[in-house]
Amino acid sequence: MAERVTMQDIADYVGMSKFAVSKALSGKGGVKAETRERIIKAAIQLGYRFPPKAAEGAEANARWPGASGAGKSDGEDLAGSWPFGPAAAMGHPEPSGSGQASGATAIGGQPGVPGFPAGEAGRFSPASSRAASNPAATQAASDGLGSQVIILVPNVRFQTRLSYYWGRIIEGVQEELEERGIGSILITEQGTTRFSSLINPRGVMGLVGVGFISYPVLLEIRNLGIPTVLIDHEEPLVPTDVLSMNNFEWMRRVANYLIGLGHRRLQFVGNLTYSRSFYDRWFGFRAMMEEHGLSTDGQHDGLLTVRGHNRSEMTEALEPMLQELRREGRMPTAFACANDSIAICIMTILARMGVSVPEDVSVAGFDDIEDAALSSPTLTTVHVHKHGMGRRAVEALLRRVQQPASPVEKVLLTGELVIRASTGAARADG
């Protein structure tokens, strides 16, 4: 039998003191976020056995983190295992008015709710009388689990319940839980370094994570033994059931549709390091281009790395690149954009330049947010069943509760190509 890994082993491995390792693994302050992440990852890689934290839950109800959790989001400091930056891992920028103020940690709860301290912010949905007859609730009770489901949302930039994209997913989760008679509590995870200080694990049936959840929080949730399902995010070092859109396949279909219209000079737009969904959409685009014998070598590097926190910033960053393409005679006949907000920015710039959409250039997006049907021209896009994704995540969570030893699943959901006025046949001289 292998010798048990100790904190000293971890300290030797990362070249730090045992004291620093102890503080990082226990969640205490005084350790930089990047240092904490490095230590935690090393501990997992070495096979360190984390001590159970469920016993701490009994006193968690008496504690309230208050302002101690405020500050920079964990996601802005920690580097994930994928080749993209976690700060923007939500992958769905929205208009500037849709976000929430950064730096605050909102904790959902009500006095007397099992598993949570009293709080003012957040949303609490009480379980109805149907919960008693719900198989998952019954299974959870028999396993010593609570009857509430946590909906964990990062609250990073535009990844909030007010978002055109994420908000609809959250609504789907809440609606499915309510119809099944299961209570839910919405927690926004921002600046939280100690998830166990917010909850009593014995009062929780399970957790649905919406979008990017920071690595240390995911690790802590796993160590608390809470059944978990993630939506549109996965962490290879913390195996968890995952639901996401089949981004690769549907961007592949978008590219195929544009090529079928006669377009041969196509440009993908979206930061490939921005999120896993953008990364997969780029590979779907590239795969279809290669299938048709079209090269992606001429892609504009700036359009594959463009950054912006909202449409105003995105438009400002994109405009000089499109001007450059026209000046050099390299304007594509079609843009395949990583999401609808980017596509709307592209159409805004093209209109300023006097380029007609779709007569001169076609533009397609992804996600089918409300603005896609209201833009001028209306936007061709991929409809993501956002409510359905939230509801399906609840089904996956209840399966995990009822069958805790079943294999971890990654479920890819289908979408629909919505053809609107922003795409048309390529010009004969293009």
Side-chain angles (χ1 to χ4, degrees), residues 226-303:
I226 300 174
T228 300
V229 172
L230 300 179
I231 299 176
D232 209 20
H233 177 62
E234 59 183 306
E235 172 52 64
L237 295 178
V238 185
T240 308
D241 292 322
V242 173
L243 276 91
S244 66
M245 175 66 183
N246 193 338
N247 295 294
F248 176 92
E249 175 59 26
W250 282 93
M251 183 53 82
R252 182 176 169 277
R253 296 192 188 190
V254 169
N256 189 52
Y257 166 69
L258 293 172
I259 293 170
L261 291 174
H263 296 282
R264 293 296 180 269
R265 289 186 286 122
L266 283 74
Q267 171 71 51
F268 184 87
V269 187
N271 189 338
L272 307 187
T273 66
Y274 196 75
S275 72
R276 178 60 192 265
S277 60
F278 278 26
Y279 193 69
D280 288 344
R281 290 170 190 181
W282 156 248
F283 274 100
F285 170 85
R286 195 173 76 174
M288 183 52 68
M289 291 283 283
E290 291 174 353
E291 284 184 37
H292 284 273
L294 301 175
S295 173
T296 56
D297 293 342
Q299 297 289 297
H300 189 290
D301 291 340
L303 295 178

Side-chain angles (χ1 to χ4, degrees), residues 10 49 66 74 79 81 123 129 196 233 262 300 302 318 380 395 414:
I10 300 170
R49 295 177 60 187
D74 287 343
S81 298
R123 176 174 177 177
S129 58
S196 61
H233 177 62
H300 189 290
L318 287 168
T380 293
E395 296 177 10
T414 191

Side-chain angles (χ1 to χ4, degrees), residues 258 263 322 331-335 337 343-365 375-380 420-425 427:
L258 293 172
H263 296 282
L322 268 62
M331 179 67 75
T333 62
F335 289 96
C337 301
I344 290 170
C345 292
I346 290 287
M347 291 197 298
T348 299
I349 298 166
L350 290 174
R352 290 178 185 173
M353 296 169 58
V355 177
S356 180
V357 176
E359 289 77 11
D360 298 324
V361 176
S362 289
V363 180
S375 63
S376 180
T378 55
L379 181 65
T380 293
R420 297 194 178 106
S422 67
T423 52
R427 289 175 47 168

Side-chain angles (χ1 to χ4, degrees), residues 79-100:
S81 298
W82 297 106
F84 49 82
M90 66 289 294
H92 299 277
E94 302 288 358
S96 57
S98 65
Q100 296 182 17

Side-chain angles (χ1 to χ4, degrees), residues 369-389:
I369 62 175
E370 284 88 339
D371 284 0
L374 301 175
S375 63
S376 180
T378 55
L379 181 65
T380 293
T381 185
V382 173
H383 178 71
V384 176
H385 296 277
K386 296 171 278 291
H387 272 85
M389 189 181 297

Side-chain angles (χ1 to χ4, degrees), residues 45 75 149 195 202 290 318 367 393:
Q45 291 167 357
V149 168
F195 188 76
R202 288 175 287 186
E290 291 174 353
L318 287 168
D367 290 340

Side-chain angles (χ1 to χ4, degrees), residues 82-168:
W82 297 106
F84 49 82
M90 66 289 294
H92 299 277
E94 302 288 358
S96 57
S98 65
Q100 296 182 17
S102 63
T105 303
I107 310 301
Q110 296 286 338
V113 176
F116 288 82
E120 297 179 357
R123 176 174 177 177
F124 167 66
S125 174
S128 72
S129 58
R130 287 179 294 165
S133 60
N134 187 284
T138 303
Q139 179 70 40
S142 67
D143 292 340
L145 300 175
S147 59
Q148 304 291 331
V149 168
I150 299 170
I151 305 172
L152 184 60
V153 185
N155 196 25
V156 179
R157 296 181 183 171
F158 303 106
Q159 197 168 347
T160 74
R161 59 180 296 193
L162 300 179
S163 160
Y164 296 150
Y165 182 85
W166 302 105
R168 305 296 82 77

